[in-house]
Amino acid sequence: MEIHETPTAVAGMLIRRPVAEVFEAIVDPAITTKFWFTHGSGRLDSGKEVRWEWRMYGVSTTAKVSEIVRNERIVMQWSDPPTTVVWTFTEMPGDATFLEVRNFGFAGTPDEQVKEAIGSTGGFTLVLAGAKAWLEQGLTLSLIGDRHPEGAPGR
């Protein structure tokens, strides 16, 4: 089997909240911690580096924002080796937002890149589902923490 396109993780979700509120949920760690990471060192802003932690797993990463267009797009690099993550916010009818995340630039062999893209797609799908639950219903689903609980197969 040959790969003809660069492996890219893509996840998208309609969130029934205004675009400004959805955008703020991604840039403000006080909100993002309700559905994704456990601690963030600061707000996302163009040219800024922030540290995100998932303390339940003892892991962290640095995210460096290369571009921010308020209520439209966030482009950042994260992970080691770094990959690019593009968040796109599309205003929809009825005070709703379609939030799409693309993650690309995975390193390694083609097989390793495909594996990383598949894992990233699953991870970002959980993030978007958690954001939807929090923003629409005020529910914390603990999706990220429950994905790899201590004692589960593969953990």
Side-chain angles (χ1 to χ4, degrees):
M1 179 168 85
E2 292 182 34
I3 297 175
H4 299 285
E5 293 184 26
T6 302
T8 300
V10 180
M13 182 70 66
L14 180 71
I15 300 175
R16 289 179 178 84
R17 302 300 301 166
V19 70
E21 189 174 330
V22 177
F23 184 86
E24 189 66 14
I26 301 303
V27 301
D28 183 354
I31 303 169
T32 319
T33 56
K34 305 292 186 193
F35 57 85
W36 191 9
F37 47 81
T38 57
H39 294 82
S41 66
R43 292 175 59 86
L44 296 181
D45 201 1
S46 191
K48 185 176 178 183
E49 284 189 12
V50 296
R51 187 128 188 102
W52 291 339
E53 299 177 41
W54 291 264
R55 290 186 177 170
M56 70 286 232
Y57 299 129
V59 299
S60 63
T61 192
T62 299
K64 182 174 182 175
V65 179
S66 55
E67 178 186 2
I68 227 171
V69 179
R70 185 160 185 74
N71 299 335
E72 292 181 22
R73 183 176 58 224
I74 301 167
V75 180
M76 62 185 214
Q77 288 69 45
W78 78 334
S79 201
D80 186 23
T83 63
T84 299
V85 179
V86 179
W87 303 81
T88 305
F89 303 79
T90 303
E91 191 170 355
M92 302 292 287
D95 268 341
T97 304
F98 188 78
L99 177 53
E100 182 181 77
V101 184
R102 293 181 165 275
N103 186 199
F104 54 89
F106 301 103
T109 67
D111 285 345
E112 291 167 337
Q113 291 177 37
V114 167
K115 183 178 178 183
E116 288 296 317
I118 290 169
S120 182
T121 299
F124 278 117
T125 298
L126 291 176
V127 169
L128 296 181
K132 179 180 180 71
W134 174 255
L135 291 167
E136 290 184 8
Q137 305 295 324
L139 298 173
T140 300
L141 299 180
S142 302
L143 295 171
I144 304 305
D146 290 348
R147 173 61 184 99
H148 298 284
E150 190 67 39
R155 172 91 163 112

